[in-house]
Amino acid sequence: MLTALSIRDVVLIEALDLDFGAGLGVLTGETGAGKSILLDALGLALGGRGDSGLVRHGAVQAVVTASFDPPTPALAAMLDENGVEVEPGEPLLVRRVVKADGGSRAFINNQPASATLLREIAPRLVEIHGQHDDRGLLNARGHRALLDDFGRCDPADTTRAWATLRDAEAALTAARAEIETAARDREWLEHTVAELEKLAAEPGEEEALADKRRSMQRAEKVTDDLSAIEDYLDGSDGGLAKLRQAARVLERVAEDHPALADALGAVDRAVIEGSVAEERLREARFALVYDPRALEDDEARLFELRAMARKHRVQPDDLAALSADLSARLQRLEAGEGGVATLQATVAKARAAYDKAADALTARRLAAAKGLDRAVAGELAPLKLGAARFRTVVAPAAPDNWSGAGKDRVEFEISTNPGAPFAPLTKIASGGELSRFILALKVALADQGGAATIVFDEIDRGVGGAVASAIGERLARLAKATQLLVVTHSPQVAARGAAHLLIAKSNDGTVTRTGVRQLTDTERREEIARMLSGATITDEARAQADRLLEPDDIALPLPS
């Protein structure tokens, strides 16, 4: 809901701060007082064209700030996706600045935003219905959703069936494309699969072969050295044999002198360490076995793996997966039309399910259309549109336009005169008729929600008396569910307002200004009397204003 509007230096408005409440707010004033300026300012805040002509003469810039209730979770999420942070429970502030030299800036909660974003969020905040409006209810793209809401036509089953059908069709298309591609490459595929299967590469095999090759290459280099070391240590003339001989001799004489005993201990330790060294050498020789034939075989296998990997532009470890993938492709190709036939059956089944769900949705929409037509028809006669006819067209959409929302094209059409053909609202309705048709639709669709604030600009143009009273009554009924702001010349409509704002122009001899103020009960009576009688307010006009302002206990229900 719009809670406040602040305007600075817009055309004839120098400074204006307005507060708005729930229910029906009416704005009146003499012709030329500047009512359109107020709506232009609100439109600017909601992303309208930033024309420098809106800047008051002599001012540097024009600034409009609109304050709204805290945004809904859906709107908050939309703002967050666009980089605008919104604190939970905080009001939404939309500000637009237009400079006299042409540039403009936009802000949401004091954070820079684009005018495009303002235009995207505007329909969630305010609906502005004027005589030349081509959005909202007049945009056929939204008619299907409005009808679904009115008739509670839930498209969930159709949406699920559509998703299943699209998945099945995508699988069939992919299978056909794969078979077509594979058929072109069949000879290559058969040769490659045979080649890979013969190679029988295994994951990790390349690394294992490389490690084994490195070990054997090292063994080749150290074999001679290991043999020489063994000769030095082992054998009858080896170092260990001579150390053991020395130890036996020292054992016989060790008691003759302490130094000999120490020497014996040292030789014993040397024998022990030498034995350890001898054992470790044997282990090394066992580990570093050099077999020229085995080395040659391993190198051949390693080079074969790497060559095959380069050929197919994969890593050696991926050759096994490549073999499995190409084998599967060859099997699918060999399965041929059998697999495609299965997928075709799946598509046919999914299409039948979609057709069934979409046809059921169409039936519900046709029933809802009749109900909506009756509801709108009941509103036309009181609005001086008794000769007009309204219909909701539910027609088959082109197959290319089928979707999860069904197969239907929905559009609201009218015929303004008996025998005249039906056509979209905007093509045949005059300005006043258009506004009243919009009101009839809004009343019929009252339970379906929409923007929290609706603005009607001169919806009562060209009508009076009973028609104006009917318009006022319907506006008051709508205002019980949503905030309405109405620019009006009709006293019957003005009298229905919960709040009454007067727009007036003043001139101090130099500068002309437009101002707005909320009227007291007494002032409101005088303004309605002026609207009834003109420049000279008569007692009779005041009495008639009092009758219009009397509480109306008659509350007709909104159409169901």
Side-chain angles (χ1 to χ4, degrees), residues 457-494:
D457 183 14
E458 299 188 2
I459 192 173
D460 49 13
R461 176 184 288 269
V463 300
V467 176
S469 294
I471 291 173
E473 175 192 326
R474 280 152 180 78
L475 289 171
R477 287 157 57 193
L478 270 181
K480 293 179 180 179
T482 189
Q483 181 189 47
L484 289 186
L485 299 177
V486 181
V487 176
T488 180
H489 290 286
S490 168
Q492 291 91 339
V493 172

PDB file of all heavy atoms in Angstrom, residues 457-494:
ATOM      1  N   ASP A 457      -7.809   7.276 -12.920  1.00  0.00           N
ATOM      2  CA  ASP A 457      -7.741   8.675 -13.346  1.00  0.00           C
ATOM      3  C   ASP A 457      -8.978   9.022 -14.145  1.00  0.00           C
ATOM      4  O   ASP A 457      -9.166   8.574 -15.283  1.00  0.00           O
ATOM      5  CB  ASP A 457      -6.479   8.882 -14.196  1.00  0.00           C
ATOM      6  CG  ASP A 457      -6.295  10.335 -14.613  1.00  0.00           C
ATOM      7  OD1 ASP A 457      -6.981  11.210 -14.046  1.00  0.00           O
ATOM      8  OD2 ASP A 457      -5.456  10.591 -15.501  1.00  0.00           O
ATOM      9  N   GLU A 458      -9.878   9.812 -13.522  1.00  0.00           N
ATOM     10  CA  GLU A 458     -11.090  10.311 -14.163  1.00  0.00           C
ATOM     11  C   GLU A 458     -11.919   9.172 -14.766  1.00  0.00           C
ATOM     12  O   GLU A 458     -12.312   9.209 -15.936  1.00  0.00           O
ATOM     13  CB  GLU A 458     -10.745  11.366 -15.219  1.00  0.00           C
ATOM     14  CG  GLU A 458     -10.047  12.577 -14.614  1.00  0.00           C
ATOM     15  CD  GLU A 458      -9.869  13.699 -15.611  1.00  0.00           C
ATOM     16  OE1 GLU A 458     -10.307  13.562 -16.761  1.00  0.00           O
ATOM     17  OE2 GLU A 458      -9.280  14.736 -15.232  1.00  0.00           O
ATOM     18  N   ILE A 459     -12.170   8.159 -13.951  1.00  0.00           N
ATOM     19  CA  ILE A 459     -12.977   7.026 -14.404  1.00  0.00           C
ATOM     20  C   ILE A 459     -14.420   7.439 -14.671  1.00  0.00           C
ATOM     21  O   ILE A 459     -15.147   6.765 -15.393  1.00  0.00           O
ATOM     22  CB  ILE A 459     -12.923   5.910 -13.339  1.00  0.00           C
ATOM     23  CG1 ILE A 459     -13.498   4.623 -13.893  1.00  0.00           C
ATOM     24  CG2 ILE A 459     -13.601   6.326 -12.045  1.00  0.00           C
ATOM     25  CD1 ILE A 459     -13.323   3.443 -12.972  1.00  0.00           C
ATOM     26  N   ASP A 460     -14.831   8.571 -14.112  1.00  0.00           N
ATOM     27  CA  ASP A 460     -16.220   9.017 -14.249  1.00  0.00           C
ATOM     28  C   ASP A 460     -16.375  10.085 -15.326  1.00  0.00           C
ATOM     29  O   ASP A 460     -17.393  10.781 -15.383  1.00  0.00           O
ATOM     30  CB  ASP A 460     -16.719   9.570 -12.914  1.00  0.00           C
ATOM     31  CG  ASP A 460     -15.736  10.570 -12.305  1.00  0.00           C
ATOM     32  OD1 ASP A 460     -14.804  11.023 -13.019  1.00  0.00           O
ATOM     33  OD2 ASP A 460     -15.867  10.858 -11.110  1.00  0.00           O
ATOM     34  N   ARG A 461     -15.369  10.227 -16.186  1.00  0.00           N
ATOM     35  CA  ARG A 461     -15.446  11.261 -17.220  1.00  0.00           C
ATOM     36  C   ARG A 461     -16.677  11.023 -18.118  1.00  0.00           C
ATOM     37  O   ARG A 461     -16.914   9.913 -18.597  1.00  0.00           O
ATOM     38  CB  ARG A 461     -14.191  11.237 -18.074  1.00  0.00           C
ATOM     39  CG  ARG A 461     -14.224  12.232 -19.258  1.00  0.00           C
ATOM     40  CD  ARG A 461     -12.971  12.080 -20.108  1.00  0.00           C
ATOM     41  NE  ARG A 461     -11.821  12.609 -19.420  1.00  0.00           N
ATOM     42  CZ  ARG A 461     -11.393  13.861 -19.523  1.00  0.00           C
ATOM     43  NH1 ARG A 461     -12.060  14.710 -20.290  1.00  0.00           N
ATOM     44  NH2 ARG A 461     -10.329  14.273 -18.872  1.00  0.00           N
ATOM     45  N   GLY A 462     -17.454  12.087 -18.328  1.00  0.00           N
ATOM     46  CA  GLY A 462     -18.578  12.027 -19.262  1.00  0.00           C
ATOM     47  C   GLY A 462     -19.831  11.380 -18.720  1.00  0.00           C
ATOM     48  O   GLY A 462     -20.764  11.141 -19.483  1.00  0.00           O
ATOM     49  N   VAL A 463     -19.882  11.059 -17.434  1.00  0.00           N
ATOM     50  CA  VAL A 463     -21.094  10.459 -16.877  1.00  0.00           C
ATOM     51  C   VAL A 463     -21.508  11.251 -15.639  1.00  0.00           C
ATOM     52  O   VAL A 463     -20.741  12.032 -15.081  1.00  0.00           O
ATOM     53  CB  VAL A 463     -20.880   8.976 -16.497  1.00  0.00           C
ATOM     54  CG1 VAL A 463     -20.481   8.167 -17.706  1.00  0.00           C
ATOM     55  CG2 VAL A 463     -19.826   8.844 -15.401  1.00  0.00           C
ATOM     56  N   GLY A 464     -22.718  11.055 -15.218  1.00  0.00           N
ATOM     57  CA  GLY A 464     -23.199  11.718 -14.024  1.00  0.00           C
ATOM     58  C   GLY A 464     -24.392  10.985 -13.461  1.00  0.00           C
ATOM     59  O   GLY A 464     -24.760   9.900 -13.938  1.00  0.00           O
ATOM     60  N   GLY A 465     -25.034  11.569 -12.459  1.00  0.00           N
ATOM     61  CA  GLY A 465     -26.242  11.006 -11.913  1.00  0.00           C
ATOM     62  C   GLY A 465     -26.089   9.592 -11.420  1.00  0.00           C
ATOM     63  O   GLY A 465     -25.167   9.252 -10.674  1.00  0.00           O
ATOM     64  N   ALA A 466     -26.992   8.703 -11.874  1.00  0.00           N
ATOM     65  CA  ALA A 466     -27.029   7.330 -11.396  1.00  0.00           C
ATOM     66  C   ALA A 466     -25.763   6.565 -11.770  1.00  0.00           C
ATOM     67  O   ALA A 466     -25.286   5.721 -11.012  1.00  0.00           O
ATOM     68  CB  ALA A 466     -28.261   6.622 -11.958  1.00  0.00           C
ATOM     69  N   VAL A 467     -25.210   6.859 -12.957  1.00  0.00           N
ATOM     70  CA  VAL A 467     -23.994   6.161 -13.373  1.00  0.00           C
ATOM     71  C   VAL A 467     -22.835   6.529 -12.466  1.00  0.00           C
ATOM     72  O   VAL A 467     -22.056   5.663 -12.033  1.00  0.00           O
ATOM     73  CB  VAL A 467     -23.653   6.478 -14.849  1.00  0.00           C
ATOM     74  CG1 VAL A 467     -22.336   5.817 -15.250  1.00  0.00           C
ATOM     75  CG2 VAL A 467     -24.779   6.021 -15.759  1.00  0.00           C
ATOM     76  N   ALA A 468     -22.699   7.808 -12.181  1.00  0.00           N
ATOM     77  CA  ALA A 468     -21.642   8.250 -11.274  1.00  0.00           C
ATOM     78  C   ALA A 468     -21.832   7.626  -9.895  1.00  0.00           C
ATOM     79  O   ALA A 468     -20.855   7.222  -9.244  1.00  0.00           O
ATOM     80  CB  ALA A 468     -21.636   9.776 -11.172  1.00  0.00           C
ATOM     81  N   SER A 469     -23.086   7.532  -9.442  1.00  0.00           N
ATOM     82  CA  SER A 469     -23.348   6.889  -8.147  1.00  0.00           C
ATOM     83  C   SER A 469     -22.945   5.426  -8.184  1.00  0.00           C
ATOM     84  O   SER A 469     -22.367   4.893  -7.224  1.00  0.00           O
ATOM     85  CB  SER A 469     -24.834   7.012  -7.794  1.00  0.00           C
ATOM     86  OG  SER A 469     -25.179   8.366  -7.577  1.00  0.00           O
ATOM     87  N   ALA A 470     -23.247   4.745  -9.297  1.00  0.00           N
ATOM     88  CA  ALA A 470     -22.871   3.332  -9.428  1.00  0.00           C
ATOM     89  C   ALA A 470     -21.348   3.175  -9.415  1.00  0.00           C
ATOM     90  O   ALA A 470     -20.810   2.239  -8.806  1.00  0.00           O
ATOM     91  CB  ALA A 470     -23.441   2.753 -10.720  1.00  0.00           C
ATOM     92  N   ILE A 471     -20.670   4.096 -10.076  1.00  0.00           N
ATOM     93  CA  ILE A 471     -19.200   4.048 -10.069  1.00  0.00           C
ATOM     94  C   ILE A 471     -18.684   4.248  -8.648  1.00  0.00           C
ATOM     95  O   ILE A 471     -17.816   3.507  -8.169  1.00  0.00           O
ATOM     96  CB  ILE A 471     -18.622   5.123 -11.017  1.00  0.00           C
ATOM     97  CG1 ILE A 471     -18.929   4.756 -12.474  1.00  0.00           C
ATOM     98  CG2 ILE A 471     -17.117   5.279 -10.806  1.00  0.00           C
ATOM     99  CD1 ILE A 471     -18.544   5.834 -13.468  1.00  0.00           C
ATOM    100  N   GLY A 472     -19.231   5.241  -7.967  1.00  0.00           N
ATOM    101  CA  GLY A 472     -18.792   5.491  -6.599  1.00  0.00           C
ATOM    102  C   GLY A 472     -19.046   4.311  -5.689  1.00  0.00           C
ATOM    103  O   GLY A 472     -18.203   3.960  -4.846  1.00  0.00           O
ATOM    104  N   GLU A 473     -20.216   3.691  -5.842  1.00  0.00           N
ATOM    105  CA  GLU A 473     -20.546   2.530  -5.016  1.00  0.00           C
ATOM    106  C   GLU A 473     -19.551   1.404  -5.248  1.00  0.00           C
ATOM    107  O   GLU A 473     -19.057   0.775  -4.303  1.00  0.00           O
ATOM    108  CB  GLU A 473     -21.958   2.072  -5.352  1.00  0.00           C
ATOM    109  CG  GLU A 473     -22.372   0.795  -4.641  1.00  0.00           C
ATOM    110  CD  GLU A 473     -23.655   0.220  -5.223  1.00  0.00           C
ATOM    111  OE1 GLU A 473     -24.522   1.015  -5.636  1.00  0.00           O
ATOM    112  OE2 GLU A 473     -23.747  -1.015  -5.282  1.00  0.00           O
ATOM    113  N   ARG A 474     -19.220   1.136  -6.504  1.00  0.00           N
ATOM    114  CA  ARG A 474     -18.293   0.034  -6.808  1.00  0.00           C
ATOM    115  C   ARG A 474     -16.865   0.345  -6.352  1.00  0.00           C
ATOM    116  O   ARG A 474     -16.139  -0.548  -5.898  1.00  0.00           O
ATOM    117  CB  ARG A 474     -18.352  -0.268  -8.310  1.00  0.00           C
ATOM    118  CG  ARG A 474     -19.564  -1.117  -8.653  1.00  0.00           C
ATOM    119  CD  ARG A 474     -20.069  -0.914 -10.056  1.00  0.00           C
ATOM    120  NE  ARG A 474     -21.238  -1.778 -10.270  1.00  0.00           N
ATOM    121  CZ  ARG A 474     -22.459  -1.499  -9.818  1.00  0.00           C
ATOM    122  NH1 ARG A 474     -22.679  -0.402  -9.104  1.00  0.00           N
ATOM    123  NH2 ARG A 474     -23.469  -2.342 -10.043  1.00  0.00           N
ATOM    124  N   LEU A 475     -16.486   1.585  -6.473  1.00  0.00           N
ATOM    125  CA  LEU A 475     -15.162   1.965  -5.966  1.00  0.00           C
ATOM    126  C   LEU A 475     -15.084   1.764  -4.457  1.00  0.00           C
ATOM    127  O   LEU A 475     -14.081   1.276  -3.930  1.00  0.00           O
ATOM    128  CB  LEU A 475     -14.862   3.419  -6.326  1.00  0.00           C
ATOM    129  CG  LEU A 475     -14.598   3.714  -7.808  1.00  0.00           C
ATOM    130  CD1 LEU A 475     -14.535   5.217  -8.047  1.00  0.00           C
ATOM    131  CD2 LEU A 475     -13.316   3.048  -8.269  1.00  0.00           C
ATOM    132  N   ALA A 476     -16.164   2.143  -3.763  1.00  0.00           N
ATOM    133  CA  ALA A 476     -16.173   1.964  -2.311  1.00  0.00           C
ATOM    134  C   ALA A 476     -16.107   0.486  -1.941  1.00  0.00           C
ATOM    135  O   ALA A 476     -15.436   0.104  -0.972  1.00  0.00           O
ATOM    136  CB  ALA A 476     -17.427   2.610  -1.718  1.00  0.00           C
ATOM    137  N   ARG A 477     -16.779  -0.361  -2.706  1.00  0.00           N
ATOM    138  CA  ARG A 477     -16.738  -1.796  -2.435  1.00  0.00           C
ATOM    139  C   ARG A 477     -15.336  -2.365  -2.687  1.00  0.00           C
ATOM    140  O   ARG A 477     -14.820  -3.155  -1.901  1.00  0.00           O
ATOM    141  CB  ARG A 477     -17.761  -2.520  -3.314  1.00  0.00           C
ATOM    142  CG  ARG A 477     -19.205  -2.294  -2.866  1.00  0.00           C
ATOM    143  CD  ARG A 477     -20.191  -2.506  -3.993  1.00  0.00           C
ATOM    144  NE  ARG A 477     -20.077  -3.829  -4.591  1.00  0.00           N
ATOM    145  CZ  ARG A 477     -20.654  -4.165  -5.741  1.00  0.00           C
ATOM    146  NH1 ARG A 477     -21.376  -3.276  -6.405  1.00  0.00           N
ATOM    147  NH2 ARG A 477     -20.521  -5.390  -6.228  1.00  0.00           N
ATOM    148  N   LEU A 478     -14.722  -1.941  -3.779  1.00  0.00           N
ATOM    149  CA  LEU A 478     -13.354  -2.393  -4.073  1.00  0.00           C
ATOM    150  C   LEU A 478     -12.386  -1.940  -2.984  1.00  0.00           C
ATOM    151  O   LEU A 478     -11.441  -2.657  -2.637  1.00  0.00           O
ATOM    152  CB  LEU A 478     -12.896  -1.833  -5.420  1.00  0.00           C
ATOM    153  CG  LEU A 478     -13.173  -2.655  -6.668  1.00  0.00           C
ATOM    154  CD1 LEU A 478     -12.631  -1.941  -7.896  1.00  0.00           C
ATOM    155  CD2 LEU A 478     -12.548  -4.028  -6.565  1.00  0.00           C
ATOM    156  N   ALA A 479     -12.600  -0.745  -2.472  1.00  0.00           N
ATOM    157  CA  ALA A 479     -11.682  -0.173  -1.492  1.00  0.00           C
ATOM    158  C   ALA A 479     -11.689  -0.923  -0.167  1.00  0.00           C
ATOM    159  O   ALA A 479     -10.807  -0.720   0.665  1.00  0.00           O
ATOM    160  CB  ALA A 479     -12.007   1.302  -1.251  1.00  0.00           C
ATOM    161  N   LYS A 480     -12.673  -1.808   0.035  1.00  0.00           N
ATOM    162  CA  LYS A 480     -12.667  -2.618   1.256  1.00  0.00           C
ATOM    163  C   LYS A 480     -11.565  -3.679   1.208  1.00  0.00           C
ATOM    164  O   LYS A 480     -11.147  -4.191   2.245  1.00  0.00           O
ATOM    165  CB  LYS A 480     -14.035  -3.285   1.435  1.00  0.00           C
ATOM    166  CG  LYS A 480     -15.155  -2.291   1.728  1.00  0.00           C
ATOM    167  CD  LYS A 480     -16.493  -3.010   1.861  1.00  0.00           C
ATOM    168  CE  LYS A 480     -17.623  -2.010   2.154  1.00  0.00           C
ATOM    169  NZ  LYS A 480     -18.944  -2.677   2.275  1.00  0.00           N
ATOM    170  N   ALA A 481     -11.120  -4.009  -0.015  1.00  0.00           N
ATOM    171  CA  ALA A 481     -10.103  -5.056  -0.162  1.00  0.00           C
ATOM    172  C   ALA A 481      -8.735  -4.496  -0.524  1.00  0.00           C
ATOM    173  O   ALA A 481      -7.722  -5.158  -0.307  1.00  0.00           O
ATOM    174  CB  ALA A 481     -10.535  -6.055  -1.236  1.00  0.00           C
ATOM    175  N   THR A 482      -8.699  -3.281  -1.083  1.00  0.00           N
ATOM    176  CA  THR A 482      -7.417  -2.724  -1.513  1.00  0.00           C
ATOM    177  C   THR A 482      -7.484  -1.212  -1.448  1.00  0.00           C
ATOM    178  O   THR A 482      -8.563  -0.623  -1.392  1.00  0.00           O
ATOM    179  CB  THR A 482      -7.094  -3.180  -2.952  1.00  0.00           C
ATOM    180  OG1 THR A 482      -5.767  -2.812  -3.278  1.00  0.00           O
ATOM    181  CG2 THR A 482      -8.035  -2.563  -3.956  1.00  0.00           C
ATOM    182  N   GLN A 483      -6.329  -0.578  -1.451  1.00  0.00           N
ATOM    183  CA  GLN A 483      -6.270   0.876  -1.418  1.00  0.00           C
ATOM    184  C   GLN A 483      -6.585   1.424  -2.807  1.00  0.00           C
ATOM    185  O   GLN A 483      -6.001   0.997  -3.806  1.00  0.00           O
ATOM    186  CB  GLN A 483      -4.874   1.331  -0.993  1.00  0.00           C
ATOM    187  CG  GLN A 483      -4.721   2.843  -0.906  1.00  0.00           C
ATOM    188  CD  GLN A 483      -3.269   3.256  -0.696  1.00  0.00           C
ATOM    189  OE1 GLN A 483      -2.378   2.764  -1.391  1.00  0.00           O
ATOM    190  NE2 GLN A 483      -3.017   4.134   0.259  1.00  0.00           N
ATOM    191  N   LEU A 484      -7.524   2.383  -2.872  1.00  0.00           N
ATOM    192  CA  LEU A 484      -7.886   3.019  -4.133  1.00  0.00           C
ATOM    193  C   LEU A 484      -7.626   4.516  -4.034  1.00  0.00           C
ATOM    194  O   LEU A 484      -7.952   5.162  -3.023  1.00  0.00           O
ATOM    195  CB  LEU A 484      -9.366   2.812  -4.457  1.00  0.00           C
ATOM    196  CG  LEU A 484      -9.856   1.412  -4.858  1.00  0.00           C
ATOM    197  CD1 LEU A 484     -11.320   1.500  -5.274  1.00  0.00           C
ATOM    198  CD2 LEU A 484      -9.036   0.861  -5.988  1.00  0.00           C
ATOM    199  N   LEU A 485      -7.047   5.079  -5.076  1.00  0.00           N
ATOM    200  CA  LEU A 485      -6.901   6.528  -5.222  1.00  0.00           C
ATOM    201  C   LEU A 485      -7.594   6.911  -6.518  1.00  0.00           C
ATOM    202  O   LEU A 485      -7.290   6.354  -7.576  1.00  0.00           O
ATOM    203  CB  LEU A 485      -5.435   6.939  -5.263  1.00  0.00           C
ATOM    204  CG  LEU A 485      -4.603   6.598  -4.015  1.00  0.00           C
ATOM    205  CD1 LEU A 485      -3.148   6.993  -4.233  1.00  0.00           C
ATOM    206  CD2 LEU A 485      -5.161   7.303  -2.789  1.00  0.00           C
ATOM    207  N   VAL A 486      -8.534   7.856  -6.454  1.00  0.00           N
ATOM    208  CA  VAL A 486      -9.362   8.186  -7.607  1.00  0.00           C
ATOM    209  C   VAL A 486      -9.332   9.684  -7.849  1.00  0.00           C
ATOM    210  O   VAL A 486      -9.640  10.479  -6.951  1.00  0.00           O
ATOM    211  CB  VAL A 486     -10.822   7.729  -7.389  1.00  0.00           C
ATOM    212  CG1 VAL A 486     -11.665   8.065  -8.613  1.00  0.00           C
ATOM    213  CG2 VAL A 486     -10.869   6.240  -7.104  1.00  0.00           C
ATOM    214  N   VAL A 487      -8.915  10.065  -9.053  1.00  0.00           N
ATOM    215  CA  VAL A 487      -9.031  11.450  -9.495  1.00  0.00           C
ATOM    216  C   VAL A 487     -10.407  11.578 -10.127  1.00  0.00           C
ATOM    217  O   VAL A 487     -10.734  10.856 -11.081  1.00  0.00           O
ATOM    218  CB  VAL A 487      -7.931  11.805 -10.517  1.00  0.00           C
ATOM    219  CG1 VAL A 487      -8.143  13.219 -11.040  1.00  0.00           C
ATOM    220  CG2 VAL A 487      -6.560  11.668  -9.881  1.00  0.00           C
ATOM    221  N   THR A 488     -11.234  12.476  -9.600  1.00  0.00           N
ATOM    222  CA  THR A 488     -12.629  12.508 -10.027  1.00  0.00           C
ATOM    223  C   THR A 488     -13.152  13.932 -10.167  1.00  0.00           C
ATOM    224  O   THR A 488     -12.685  14.857  -9.497  1.00  0.00           O
ATOM    225  CB  THR A 488     -13.517  11.733  -9.031  1.00  0.00           C
ATOM    226  OG1 THR A 488     -14.871  11.774  -9.474  1.00  0.00           O
ATOM    227  CG2 THR A 488     -13.412  12.313  -7.635  1.00  0.00           C
ATOM    228  N   HIS A 489     -14.134  14.075 -11.074  1.00  0.00           N
ATOM    229  CA  HIS A 489     -14.905  15.312 -11.198  1.00  0.00           C
ATOM    230  C   HIS A 489     -16.339  15.094 -10.718  1.00  0.00           C
ATOM    231  O   HIS A 489     -17.166  16.010 -10.811  1.00  0.00           O
ATOM    232  CB  HIS A 489     -14.937  15.767 -12.667  1.00  0.00           C
ATOM    233  CG  HIS A 489     -13.620  16.265 -13.165  1.00  0.00           C
ATOM    234  ND1 HIS A 489     -13.100  17.485 -12.799  1.00  0.00           N
ATOM    235  CD2 HIS A 489     -12.721  15.705 -13.998  1.00  0.00           C
ATOM    236  CE1 HIS A 489     -11.935  17.669 -13.399  1.00  0.00           C
ATOM    237  NE2 HIS A 489     -11.678  16.596 -14.123  1.00  0.00           N
ATOM    238  N   SER A 490     -16.618  13.895 -10.230  1.00  0.00           N
ATOM    239  CA  SER A 490     -17.991  13.547  -9.878  1.00  0.00           C
ATOM    240  C   SER A 490     -18.216  13.707  -8.374  1.00  0.00           C
ATOM    241  O   SER A 490     -17.514  13.079  -7.570  1.00  0.00           O
ATOM    242  CB  SER A 490     -18.289  12.114 -10.301  1.00  0.00           C
ATOM    243  OG  SER A 490     -19.491  11.668  -9.731  1.00  0.00           O
ATOM    244  N   PRO A 491     -19.207  14.501  -7.961  1.00  0.00           N
ATOM    245  CA  PRO A 491     -19.506  14.608  -6.534  1.00  0.00           C
ATOM    246  C   PRO A 491     -19.984  13.282  -5.948  1.00  0.00           C
ATOM    247  O   PRO A 491     -19.733  12.985  -4.779  1.00  0.00           O
ATOM    248  CB  PRO A 491     -20.592  15.683  -6.468  1.00  0.00           C
ATOM    249  CG  PRO A 491     -21.176  15.731  -7.845  1.00  0.00           C
ATOM    250  CD  PRO A 491     -20.073  15.375  -8.778  1.00  0.00           C
ATOM    251  N   GLN A 492     -20.687  12.466  -6.758  1.00  0.00           N
ATOM    252  CA  GLN A 492     -21.147  11.172  -6.263  1.00  0.00           C
ATOM    253  C   GLN A 492     -19.978  10.264  -5.913  1.00  0.00           C
ATOM    254  O   GLN A 492     -20.036   9.493  -4.948  1.00  0.00           O
ATOM    255  CB  GLN A 492     -22.042  10.495  -7.318  1.00  0.00           C
ATOM    256  CG  GLN A 492     -23.386  11.176  -7.533  1.00  0.00           C
ATOM    257  CD  GLN A 492     -23.307  12.215  -8.644  1.00  0.00           C
ATOM    258  OE1 GLN A 492     -22.222  12.686  -8.980  1.00  0.00           O
ATOM    259  NE2 GLN A 492     -24.455  12.583  -9.198  1.00  0.00           N
ATOM    260  N   VAL A 493     -18.926  10.327  -6.699  1.00  0.00           N
ATOM    261  CA  VAL A 493     -17.740   9.524  -6.412  1.00  0.00           C
ATOM    262  C   VAL A 493     -16.971  10.134  -5.236  1.00  0.00           C
ATOM    263  O   VAL A 493     -16.547   9.421  -4.317  1.00  0.00           O
ATOM    264  CB  VAL A 493     -16.832   9.423  -7.657  1.00  0.00           C
ATOM    265  CG1 VAL A 493     -15.507   8.745  -7.309  1.00  0.00           C
ATOM    266  CG2 VAL A 493     -17.548   8.658  -8.759  1.00  0.00           C
ATOM    267  N   ALA A 494     -16.805  11.441  -5.248  1.00  0.00           N
ATOM    268  CA  ALA A 494     -16.045  12.111  -4.182  1.00  0.00           C
ATOM    269  C   ALA A 494     -16.659  11.851  -2.820  1.00  0.00           C
ATOM    270  O   ALA A 494     -15.952  11.719  -1.811  1.00  0.00           O
ATOM    271  CB  ALA A 494     -15.957  13.599  -4.465  1.00  0.00           C
TER     272      ALA A 494
END
